[in-house]
């Protein structure tokens, strides 16, 4: 099973990186505030776009980012945002005290406490891109903005959180609506990929959506599952010592697109996504990827492509690729330096 995108959106499978692949990332930068036991644990650069661009930049994949921030934005970033002087930067507070359910599962409670302006179609460059990534977190992606993206990008990957998040008008608590009620459903037959967490997937009909695009559902320590037409595949996770789940799904999506840019099949690219996601959960804020690890991963990706071109049987053997990537993954060993977030004795699950 190769699970390639639809014919009109396929990525070639050459033994070398496809030259001049350009990626457009659309989503606002944020200030993330992590709160535990009533105290601020950390204040970090947030927003899916920041985590994704970190993965792409670290992997030497050319990308352009469209993001809006307010006058109070306080982080240095590689990709300069659009500054809206009269607005404040989008801020999310993540509470690690409030998410213990009846079976003792620990999770975050997210609240959006301020929001910058949405990203308009006029903010999107009038250029052509090989891949587009609609990755809003605070309601900044509009239907007309996504329509502009599908017009200028060969393949568009969408994180469902950009479509189905709504925010309590009183305290800003993040809630989810059904995908069919989001205002985006009429566009989704034109996208290439839809990524959702296992919790978010409950707000869509996977059986219906997999007929429209390739659906990728992440499930933390269980890895991810891919659905497209009549094909399904489970992609193995990498072990991780979890510190903070923030940005793990974003890094997964960044790794997936890096794999697609490299010409990998979708399951192989998703395995690369699992690798980057597993590293991210071991850090508070954005991880700084080890250069040796990145080089070893790149070497294994090139070997994988050569194998798949020589023998089609390798395309179906994800375990072999996982075994080859694992030594590279665990050459990144600085996670023990990160403080661990605990909620009533429980570690936080992605």
């Amino acid at each position: 099973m190769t699970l390639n995108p639809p014919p009109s959106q396929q990525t070639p499978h050459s033994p070398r990186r496809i030259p001049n692949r350009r990626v457009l990332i659309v989503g606002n930068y944020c200030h993330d505030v992590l709160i535990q036991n009533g105290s601020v644990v950390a204040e970090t650069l947030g927003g899916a776009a920041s985590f994704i661009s970190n993965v792409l930049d670290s992997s030497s994949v050319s990308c352009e980012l469209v993001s809006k921030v307010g006058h109070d934005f306080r982080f240095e970033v590689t990709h300069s945002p659009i500054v809206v002087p009269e607005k404040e930067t989008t801020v999310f507070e993540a509470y690690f005290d409030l998410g213990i359910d009846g079976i003792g599962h620990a999770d975050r409670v997210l609240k959006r406490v301020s929001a910058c302006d949405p990203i308009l179609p006029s903010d999107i460059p009038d250029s052509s891109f090989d891949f587009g990534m609609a990755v809003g977190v605070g309601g900044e992606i509009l239907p007309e903005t996504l329509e502009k993206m599908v017009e200028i990008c060969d393949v568009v990957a969408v994180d469902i959180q950009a479509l189905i998040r709504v925010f309590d008008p009183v305290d800003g608590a993040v809630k989810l609506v059904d995908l069919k009620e989001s205002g985006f459903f009429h566009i989704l037959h034109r996208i290439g990929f839809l990524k959702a967490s296992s919790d978010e997937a409950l707000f869509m009909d996977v059986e219906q959506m997999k007929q429209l695009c390739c659906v990728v559902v992440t499930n933390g320590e269980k890895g991810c599952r891919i659905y497209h037409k009549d094909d399904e595949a489970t992609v193995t996770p990498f072990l991780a010592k979890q510190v903070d789940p923030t940005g793990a799904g974003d890094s997964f999506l960044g790794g997936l697109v890096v794999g697609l840019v490299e010409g990998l099949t979708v399951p192989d690219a998703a395995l690369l996504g699992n690798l980057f996601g597993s590293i991210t959960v071991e850090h508070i804020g954005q991880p700084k990827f080890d250069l040796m690890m990145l080089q070893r991963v790149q070497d294994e990706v090139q070997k994988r492509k050569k194998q798949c071109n020589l023998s089609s049987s390798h395309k179906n053997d994800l375990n072999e690729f996982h075994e080859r990537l694992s030594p590279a993954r665990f050459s990144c060993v600085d996670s023990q330096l990160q403080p661990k977030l605990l909620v009533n004795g429980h570690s936080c699950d992605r």
Side-chain angles (χ1 to χ4, degrees):
M1 178 186 297
T2 57
L3 275 168
N4 288 316
S8 63
Q9 300 176 325
Q10 284 183 358
T11 56
H13 295 274
S14 112
R16 299 176 60 191
R17 170 176 286 183
I18 304 161
N20 302 319
R21 301 299 263 179
R22 299 179 65 223
V23 179
L24 173 66
I25 305 169
V26 179
N28 284 350
Y29 290 128
C30 304
H31 293 162
D32 282 351
V33 182
L34 280 60
I35 299 173
Q36 184 177 35
N37 298 325
S39 300
V40 174
V41 176
E43 297 184 43
T44 64
L45 172 64
S50 69
F51 285 91
I52 290 169
S53 61
N54 183 39
V55 173
L56 268 61
D57 290 340
S58 299
S59 304
S60 301
V61 172
S62 175
C63 63
E64 187 165 341
L65 189 150
V66 179
S67 177
K68 286 184 176 178
V69 300
H71 61 85
D72 57 341
F73 186 65
R74 57 179 178 268
F75 293 97
E76 292 186 6
V77 289
T78 302
H79 304 274
S80 298
I82 300 168
V83 179
V84 185
E86 65 276 14
K87 289 284 188 174
E88 294 182 348
T89 300
T90 299
V91 175
F92 278 92
E93 293 179 347
Y95 293 84
F96 289 88
D97 314 277
L98 307 178
I100 299 293
D101 64 21
I103 59 173
H105 177 78
D107 204 354
R108 301 169 300 167
V109 171
L110 283 179
K111 296 183 179 183
R112 188 190 70 177
V113 298
S114 66
C116 197
D117 280 354
I119 298 171
L120 306 175
S122 57
D123 298 318
I124 305 298
D126 291 320
S127 304
S128 296
F129 295 87
D130 298 286
F131 292 91
M133 304 182 72
V135 291
V137 292
E140 67 268 27
I141 302 289
L142 306 175
E144 53 266 36
T145 304
L146 182 57
E147 288 179 335
K148 173 71 177 288
M149 292 181 68
V150 299
E151 290 171 2
I152 65 172
C153 302
D154 292 341
V155 183
V156 174
V158 179
D159 193 322
I160 197 173
Q161 68 181 354
L163 314 183
I164 66 171
R165 277 187 174 184
V166 294
F167 307 93
D168 187 282
V170 177
D171 66 358
V174 176
K175 301 179 180 180
L176 304 178
V177 299
D178 191 272
L179 183 58
K180 290 183 179 179
E181 301 172 1
S182 66
F184 291 88
F185 193 79
H186 65 286
I187 313 170
L188 300 184
H189 68 285
R190 302 174 63 190
I191 70 172
F193 294 87
L194 181 65
K195 174 259 175 189
S197 70
S198 56
D199 290 335
E200 293 165 339
L202 300 175
F203 292 83
M204 68 171 165
D205 185 339
V206 174
E207 292 299 312
Q208 180 181 25
M209 284 307 305
K210 73 179 186 178
Q211 302 300 322
L212 303 180
C213 64
C214 183
V215 177
V216 184
V217 178
T218 59
N219 196 15
E221 62 184 14
K222 296 180 182 179
C224 68
R225 190 156 183 83
I226 306 168
Y227 305 85
H228 186 233
K229 304 295 185 184
D230 296 326
D231 288 336
E232 295 184 15
T234 298
V235 182
T236 311
F238 292 86
L239 295 176
K241 297 178 181 179
Q242 184 163 271
V243 174
D244 175 18
T246 305
D250 309 322
S251 293
F252 166 86
L253 190 54
L256 174 73
V257 169
V258 168
L260 296 175
V261 167
E262 290 285 0
L264 295 177
T265 63
V266 176
D268 282 353
L271 187 62
L272 205 59
N274 282 349
L275 183 147
F276 281 104
S278 72
I279 296 172
T280 300
V281 300
E282 296 188 335
H283 296 76
I284 292 178
Q286 289 190 18
K288 188 173 183 180
F289 299 112
D290 181 80
L291 293 177
M292 183 177 295
M293 183 276 293
L294 291 168
Q295 184 59 58
R296 293 184 67 179
V297 168
Q298 176 64 19
D299 291 344
E300 293 303 332
V301 167
Q302 298 307 314
K303 291 176 184 177
R304 177 66 171 176
K305 289 192 293 182
K306 290 179 181 178
Q307 284 182 332
C308 291
N309 281 322
L310 290 173
S311 172
S312 60
S313 64
H314 284 288
K315 293 181 180 180
N316 297 320
D317 191 357
L318 269 177
N319 289 333
E320 178 184 352
F321 191 32
H322 187 281
E323 290 173 0
R324 297 180 70 94
L325 283 176
S326 290
R329 156 70 180 91
F330 292 107
S331 66
C332 183
V333 294
D334 65 341
S335 60
Q336 67 267 23
L337 300 178
Q338 295 285 332
K340 190 170 184 63
L341 285 173
L342 294 176
V343 185
N344 296 342
H346 299 272
S347 63
C348 299
D349 294 332
R350 180 168 29 149

